[in-house]
């Protein structure tokens, strides 16, 4: 484990549940953080990932560091022949993510997974299967909302989250990236994106955006919109609604499919305790189990950097200086 902060708890709990996976070391640049994790799990602690890789020769490394520390650590792991499971986003900039993509191509036999765990949610998997089955007809378009709450305390607790230099951005790259990924995975590849990212509630506290909207043109002709903000008073469930020729699919935790003939089907999302925050979703464990289940397979992990970079490409179109307005 590299980076033993908030999200690492979910990864560590998932690893603990896997009978054939053993945690062999933890690494964090912050001494108190790494010592707490090492003591809790009874494993050696390291201040740097080079030292850890050298000492314990892991089969895989989980990268749960701030965004700007994803790619440098991942490339070092790949160069050492160690598989990586990197938290979203792949990198804090598109250029960094491209560097990882190139490194992964140089090491085709070393696995790279990207933690976009919401693709494993029961509702999204069912929706994906239905949309690909052809029984709903053509996809016309869709909409999504991310109405979450991140106040000054959230950014003060982890200042990197509020600094473009370290995080690459705010609500888009940090929170809504999951939803942008799902819109693309469910509706189809995105050909172009327009939109706006701005800062409304956190002026003077962060230099990242807290609110953004996107208009997506998908290659199959469908169009969709995403509105995301962390200025909401609470963490509302993410909503995704997709209109097809023969039905409307609504994901809001559960999946509801309303057919043209009046039938309504609901698929419930199981409630799972992950050790993390409920709004992170319930599927980290499923993704991590799948990553290890397929670790020895010759094929790349299905959510590799080439998949993970897609949502970053979309977001980066909004982050381009001419498209980006803050304050
Ligand atoms: N998939 C999800 O739903 C989800 C949810 C929350 C966070 N995340 C992602 O997880 C990552 C970490 O987020 P967090 O909230 O846990 O952050 P955090 O700040 O709580 O933890 C990051 C830890 O990494 C350590 N660190 C920094 N640079 C390091 C380096 N070079 N080597 C080793 N340790 C280093 C820090 O000291 C800190 O303890 C981010 O990419 C974030 O976007 C994903």
């Amino acid at each position: 484990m590299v980076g033993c902060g908030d999200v690492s708890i979910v990864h560590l709990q998932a690893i603990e549940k896997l009978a054939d996976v053993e945690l062999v070391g933890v690494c964090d640049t912050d001494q108190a953080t790494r010592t707490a994790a090492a003591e809790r799990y009874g494993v050696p602690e390291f201040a740097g990932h080079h030292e850890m890789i050298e000492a314990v020769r892991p089969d895989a490394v989980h990268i749960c560091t701030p965004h700007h520390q994803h790619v440098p650590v991942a490339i070092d792991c790949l160069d050492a022949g160690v598989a990586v499971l990197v938290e979203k986003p792949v990198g804090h900039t598109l250029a960094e993510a491209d560097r990882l993509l190139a490194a992964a191509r140089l090491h085709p036999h070393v696995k790279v997974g990207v933690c976009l765990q919401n693709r494993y949610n029961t509702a999204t998997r069912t929706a994906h299967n239905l949309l690909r089955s052809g029984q709903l007809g053509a996809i016309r378009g869709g909409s999504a909302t991310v109405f979450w709450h991140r106040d000054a305390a959230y950014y003060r607790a982890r200042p990197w989250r509020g600094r473009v230099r370290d995080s690459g951005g705010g609500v888009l790259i940090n929170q809504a990236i999951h939803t942008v990924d799902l819109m693309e995975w469910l509706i189809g590849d995105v050909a172009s994106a327009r939109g706006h990212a701005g800062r409304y509630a956190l002026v003077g506290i962060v230099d990242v955006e807290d609110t953004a909207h996107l208009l997506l043109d998908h290659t199959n002709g469908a169009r969709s919109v995403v509105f995301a903000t962390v200025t909401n008073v609470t963490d509302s469930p993410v909503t995704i609604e997709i209109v097809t020729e023969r039905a409307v699919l609504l994901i809001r935790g559960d999946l509801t499919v309303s057919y043209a003939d009046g039938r309504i089907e609901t698929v419930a999302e199981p409630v799972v305790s992950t050790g993390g925050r409920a709004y992170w979703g319930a599927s980290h464990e499923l993704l991590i189990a799948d990553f290890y289940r397929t670790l020895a397979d010759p094929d790349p992990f299905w959510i590799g950097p080439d998949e993970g970079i897609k949502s970053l490409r979309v977001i980066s179109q909004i982050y381009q200086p001419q498209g980006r307005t803050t304050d």
Side-chain angles (χ1 to χ4, degrees):
M1 176 66 58
V2 178
C4 302
D6 282 352
V7 87
S8 72
I9 294 162
V10 179
H11 286 248
L12 291 166
Q13 181 173 308
I15 293 168
E16 218 177 1
K17 287 190 183 170
L18 294 171
D20 51 358
V21 181
E22 188 192 353
L23 180 71
V24 288
V26 293
C27 162
D28 199 294
T29 45
D30 181 71
Q31 161 124 48
T33 306
R34 67 174 179 265
T35 301
E39 284 175 359
R40 170 140 194 229
Y41 289 93
V43 294
E45 61 178 80
F46 301 91
H49 60 281
H50 287 293
E51 199 188 328
M52 181 179 77
I53 291 169
E54 191 63 32
V56 299
R57 305 302 311 169
D59 295 317
V61 161
H62 292 236
I63 301 175
C64 295
T65 55
H67 299 171
H68 66 307
Q69 293 296 313
H70 287 185
V71 171
V73 176
I75 291 179
D76 289 343
C77 292
L78 292 185
D79 287 344
V82 179
V84 295
L85 180 58
V86 60
E87 263 295 353
K88 50 47 72 169
V90 176
H92 73 307
T93 64
L94 201 49
E96 274 291 271
D98 278 331
R99 276 203 322 125
L100 179 56
L101 214 56
R105 287 190 185 125
L106 260 184
H107 302 286
H109 304 298
V110 189
K111 280 256 153 85
V112 185
V114 182
C115 208
L116 288 165
Q117 77 279 0
N118 291 307
R119 290 195 191 187
Y120 283 80
N121 297 352
T122 302
T124 45
R125 270 189 298 122
T126 309
H128 186 265
N129 291 343
L130 264 174
L131 290 164
R132 294 295 164 276
S133 73
Q135 57 183 293
L136 304 184
I139 302 171
R140 306 278 195 223
S143 67
T145 58
V146 181
F147 291 164
W148 282 358
H149 176 77
R150 299 290 182 277
D151 55 17
Y154 166 85
Y155 293 100
R156 286 203 181 103
R158 302 283 194 271
W160 69 264
R161 293 173 178 153
R163 287 195 295 252
V164 173
R165 179 177 90 225
D166 301 337
S167 60
V171 64
L172 280 178
I173 199 167
N174 201 350
Q175 284 83 26
I177 194 163
H178 288 292
T179 309
V180 173
D181 174 64
L182 290 181
M183 291 300 270
E184 190 156 22
W185 188 53
L186 292 170
I187 297 179
D189 284 348
V190 171
S192 68
R194 286 162 289 155
H196 175 267
R199 190 166 49 239
Y200 298 92
L202 296 163
V203 178
I205 297 166
V206 299
D207 69 3
V208 298
E209 85 284 1
D210 58 30
T211 302
H213 75 261
L214 305 173
L215 305 169
L216 307 179
D217 288 315
H218 299 259
T219 52
N220 56 8
R223 292 215 163 87
S224 66
V225 296
V226 179
F227 183 76
T229 186
V230 287
T231 67
N232 198 33
V233 291
T234 185
D235 292 306
S236 302
V238 168
T239 64
I240 294 179
E241 203 153 12
I242 295 174
V243 176
T244 75
E245 258 177 295
R246 296 185 203 121
V248 180
L249 287 76
L250 169 66
I251 298 171
R252 193 173 191 271
D254 302 339
L255 166 69
T256 306
V257 187
S258 306
Y259 291 92
D261 63 10
R263 276 178 303 133
I264 295 180
E265 284 170 3
T266 302
V267 178
E269 187 66 41
V271 178
V272 179
S273 163
T274 63
R277 313 229 158 82
Y279 49 71
W280 291 346
S283 298
H284 263 102
E285 268 177 24
L286 296 174
L287 183 145
I288 292 168
D290 206 23
F291 181 73
Y292 282 106
R293 194 179 54 73
T294 55
L295 192 58
D297 292 356
D299 302 330
F301 188 61
W302 76 287
I303 315 179
D306 50 336
E307 279 293 301
I309 204 170
K310 288 181 174 179
S311 43
L312 196 58
R313 281 203 186 105
V314 169
I315 286 168
S316 299
Q317 293 180 47
I318 312 308
Y319 281 166
Q320 305 221 330
Q322 67 273 25
R324 184 169 201 187
T325 314
T326 47
D327 292 342

